[in-house]
Amino acid sequence: RSQSLQLFSGSDDRCIRHYNLNEMMYLETLYGHQFGVMDIDCHRKERPISVGRDRTARAWKLSEDTHLIFRGGAKVSSADCVNVIKDDWYLTGHDDGHLGLWMTDKKKAVASFDLAHGADGVVGRGISSIGSLKGSDL
């Protein structure tokens, strides 16, 4: 998390682990993904966003011990990467070449781009990483 000593890690065990580096200790485990966690990112709020092989993105509300679930739809494959732009805006990159722009107030992507990196025949080139300037207006 930006400007903090919090660390989050996700794994194939479907869990997200939360650590406090100031005290060098493990804090909690977050459960919710049905398959492995592929990527996790956060900005300033205590609201990390993760993507998993279960074809969901999840915004974790740590202070309330809950999370929001976002699904890309039946035609969108699982996401491989996520990048939080601002606290409520994030991008997802999918293994079928789909790129999604999301807002945590909406259940569906605000904007989406199929085959963002073109295609090899009929199969889209997967997006394996996303980067953006934190806090930008994109």
Side-chain angles (χ1 to χ4, degrees):
R1 197 175 83 140
S2 261
Q3 301 174 353
S4 79
L5 291 173
Q6 292 185 23
L7 174 72
F8 298 94
S9 67
S11 172
D12 279 337
D13 67 359
R14 306 176 309 198
C15 299
I16 295 171
R17 309 251 192 254
H18 180 196
Y19 300 90
N20 181 328
L21 298 180
N22 192 33
E23 299 174 17
M24 298 301 285
M25 65 183 283
Y26 158 81
L27 294 177
E28 63 183 328
T29 300
L30 307 173
Y31 299 97
H33 280 287
Q34 302 301 308
F35 290 97
V37 177
M38 297 305 297
D39 197 10
I40 188 167
D41 194 22
C42 57
H43 190 41
R44 288 196 175 104
K45 282 186 185 176
E46 283 197 1
R47 188 181 285 187
I49 297 179
S50 62
V51 293
R53 284 282 169 211
D54 57 4
R55 298 175 50 212
T56 64
R58 295 173 188 254
W60 302 87
K61 296 180 176 181
L62 299 180
S63 59
E64 300 169 20
D65 286 331
T66 63
H67 64 277
L68 303 170
I69 301 172
F70 303 92
R71 299 182 200 289
K75 295 181 181 178
V76 177
S77 68
S78 63
D80 283 334
C81 53
V82 64
N83 184 270
V84 176
I85 303 165
K86 291 184 178 180
D87 284 321
D88 297 328
W89 289 87
Y90 64 98
L91 292 164
T92 56
H94 301 256
D95 58 7
D96 63 355
H98 181 84
L99 181 66
L101 174 63
W102 298 79
M103 183 178 184
T104 56
D105 295 341
K106 309 246 184 222
K107 284 299 205 178
K108 299 286 183 185
V110 174
S112 59
F113 308 94
D114 291 326
L115 305 175
H117 281 263
D120 288 326
V122 295
V123 179
R125 292 187 186 109
I127 298 173
S128 57
S129 65
I130 301 176
S132 70
L133 180 62
K134 299 286 186 190
S136 71
D137 60 1
L138 192 66

